[in-house]
């Protein structure tokens, strides 16, 4: 018995050691990022491991706001993210509801097509999306940034799964009271779907805020760059390699902060979103 | 009754119409259009459907496989790079995710929520922003080399080093001299690359991207394993323990079989996503140095949008599509065979 206790104590200790090691590996790059964004350039080059800026400098951030178009990229990202997220929540939930509850011809075919679309690798669609946007005369516009991604197959799938899990009785009561389909959807079903809607809102926000390849093939004018696009341009283009790290890491940090805040506040909804994938299999 | 049915029918279509139109217009139609473009030599000027666009037939495809030349050499190089990338990333991220999930799942542990969040956080952040951080961490005078320096190791110039890791290993054990590779390996090989080139392993530069990706994706997969682990009834493992099974035996004979569906899902998702690596390559290396981080996804982008050879670019992306579909089917088949055995 005592031997068992000693063994479990030892394994708990080993467990903590492994965890702390990995927690450092997973979090220290962010610590370095935050610290370096407040360093001077010579300090960043001389002490890359140090978590303390010496001296403390806001120079990187000043340059970000003066020498780059970051405020513009922030504005574009905000606009695109808000519109796309609102659109996805509305359109995906409407489609998910119809596919789960309304009987209409072609419903099954539409649902299987949505599953099929989820399986198409995104990378394969780079050039095709550009072709369509070009053909429709939308290339290089806000419409090109927003419209192609305003509905997504995975979101429809999540919503349908959720509605499938709800009991029909409440809607039936509303129907008996004489409410139409839209009325039932809007005032009975949507309020019940709040947890699923929140999950969808959060994963759309995160996905759209971080989206890079779509902006790469949808627009080319610097006035239409979103934050990831501007950041990529900053690193690979105008500034070149190996210099200005406080500025670059500061800009990258500003791109990370909104997602980080949402993550800390709504962590369990991210978890739900991540595990939504496991139901597909 | 029929009036209500008609109304429901109409409402159903109204509700799905926006999604159907958008997905049809930006997912389905593009694929058909792209297939046409992959059969032409369209250069991006005007519409690809005009009569003046030169028709190439399957030439854009055959160039990648049978014709000697730069197109095939670049494509095969990108395939080689991606094969090594997949072969390391998929097992590494799966093992790491499972390991972390097993530790984080332990009931004895305090602060589980914190550790879960710490491991998951990198997966929700922007791939572009994270790539910028890793550019700094792996810079010549960056954190990794500073850390190696503490142990007296001279770190490589990560992003400039095109030497293959397998070449370096073979050199280190004295089997071959990487500077003077054996002629038997350099003189020939399939698809325009010599055996020596096929056997390079990932380059040092590619290794940094591999580390970055394993680091960012393990968190998501850890959560999937965790969800599956929590579905396993505790009584099952306890019963096995009472029957005298050791921890390792319980894991191999009870836990692991129950995790099989999740393992399958994680491997499939891993295979699908590793063949699509793009953002990190774009930000960190653009295929350099010496094309050792070129992947089919980046090559297709580069061919279309930098060289304006849309036909070749789309052909590459369709081949990539086929690779992903075939691998997924093969994997499904392999797992099914095992299940019967």
């Amino acid at each position: 018995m005592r031997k068992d206790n000693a063994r479990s104590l030892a394994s708990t200790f080993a467990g903590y050691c492994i965890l702390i090691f990995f927690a450092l590996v997973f979090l220290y790059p962010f610590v370095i990022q935050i610290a370096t964004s407040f360093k001077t350039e010579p300090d960043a080059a001389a002490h890359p491991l140090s978590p303390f800026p010496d001296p403390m400098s806001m120079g990187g951030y000043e340059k970000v706001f003066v020498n780059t178009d970051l405020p513009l990229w922030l504005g574009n990202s905000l606009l695109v993210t808000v519109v796309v997220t609102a659109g996805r929540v509305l359109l995906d939930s409407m489609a998910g509801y119809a596919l789960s509850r309304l009987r209409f011809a072609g419903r099954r075919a539409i649902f299987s097509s949505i599953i099929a679309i989820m399986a198409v690798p995104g990378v394969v669609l780079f050039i095709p999306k550009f072709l369509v946007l070009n053909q429709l005369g939308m290339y290089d516009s806000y419409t090109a940034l927003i419209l192609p991604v305003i509905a997504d197959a995975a979101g429809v799938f999540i919503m349908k799964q959720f509605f499938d899990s709800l009991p029909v009785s409440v809607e039936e009561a509303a129907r008996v009271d004489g409410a139409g389909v839209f009325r039932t959807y809007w005032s009975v079903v949507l309020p019940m779907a709040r947890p699923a809607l929140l999950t969808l809102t959060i994963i759309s926000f995160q996905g759209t805020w971080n989206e890079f390849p779509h902006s790469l093939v949808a627009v080319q004018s610097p006035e239409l760059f979103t934050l990831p696009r501007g950041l990529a341009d900053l690193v690979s283009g105008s500034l070149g390699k190996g210099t200005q790290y406080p500025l670059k890491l500061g800009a990258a940090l500003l791109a990370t902060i909104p997602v980080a805040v949402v993550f800390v506040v709504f962590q369990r909804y991210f978890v739900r979103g991540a595990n939504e994938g496991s139901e597909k299999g | 009754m029929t009036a209500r049915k008609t109304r429901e029918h109409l409402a159903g279509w109204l509700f799905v119409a926006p999604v159907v139109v958008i997905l049809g217009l930006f997912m389905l139609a593009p694929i058909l259009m792209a297939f046409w473009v992959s059969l032409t030599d369209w250069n991006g000027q005007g519409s690809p459907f005009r009569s003046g666009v030169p028709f190439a037939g399957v030439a854009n495809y055959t160039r990648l496989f049978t014709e000697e030349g730069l197109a095939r050499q670049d494509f095969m190089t990108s395939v080689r790079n991606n094969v090594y990338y997949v072969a390391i990333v998929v097992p590494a991220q799966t093992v790491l995710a499972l390991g972390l999930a097993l530790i984080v799942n332990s009931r004895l542990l305090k602060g589980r929520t914190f550790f879960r969040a710490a491991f998951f956080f990198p997966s929700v952040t922007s791939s572009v922003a994270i790539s910028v951080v890793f550019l700094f961490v792996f810079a010549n005078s960056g954190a990794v080399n500073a850390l190696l320096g503490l142990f007296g190791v001279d770190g490589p110039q990560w992003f400039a080093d095109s030497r293959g890791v397998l070449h370096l290993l073979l050199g280190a054990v004295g089997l071959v001299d990487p500077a003077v590779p054996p002629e038997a390996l350099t003189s020939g090989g399939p698809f325009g690359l010599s055996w020596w080139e096929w056997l390079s392993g990932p380059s040092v530069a590619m290794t940094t991207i591999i580390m970055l990706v394993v680091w960012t994706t393990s968190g998501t997969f850890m959560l999937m394993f965790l969800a599956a682990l929590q579905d396993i009834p505790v009584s099952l493992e306890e019963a096995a323990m009472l029957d005298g099974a050791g921890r390792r035996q319980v894991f191999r004979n009870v836990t692991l079989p129950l995790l099989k569906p999740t393992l399958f899902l994680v491997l499939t998702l891993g295979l699908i996503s590793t063949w699509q690596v793009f953002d990190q390559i774009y930000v960190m290396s653009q295929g350099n140095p010496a094309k050792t981080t070129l992947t089919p996804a980046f090559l297709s982008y580069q061919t279309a949008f930098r060289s304006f050879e849309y036909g070749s670019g789309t052909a590459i992306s369709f081949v990539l599509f086929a690779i992903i579909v075939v691998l997924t089917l093969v994997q499904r088949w392999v797992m099914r065979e095992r299940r019967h055995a």
Side-chain angles (χ1 to χ4, degrees), chain A residues 85-154:
Chain A
T85 302
R88 278 192 191 176
V89 169
L90 180 70
L91 301 181
D92 292 356
S93 70
M94 278 169 64
Y97 177 66
L99 291 172
S100 169
R101 287 296 161 77
L102 304 176
R103 319 275 136 199
F104 59 97
R107 168 169 162 263
R108 253 193 221 151
I110 289 174
F111 187 60
S112 353
S113 322
I114 281 174
I115 299 277
I117 282 172
M118 275 203 297
V120 176
V123 156
V124 172
L125 287 165
F126 287 178
I127 307 170
K129 273 190 184 166
F130 163 78
L131 293 173
V132 166
L133 288 170
N134 211 15
Q135 200 70 14
L136 294 173
M138 288 177 189
Y139 179 67
D140 208 22
S141 67
Y142 282 110
T143 321
L145 280 175
I146 292 169
L147 200 61
V149 288
I150 203 164
D152 72 317

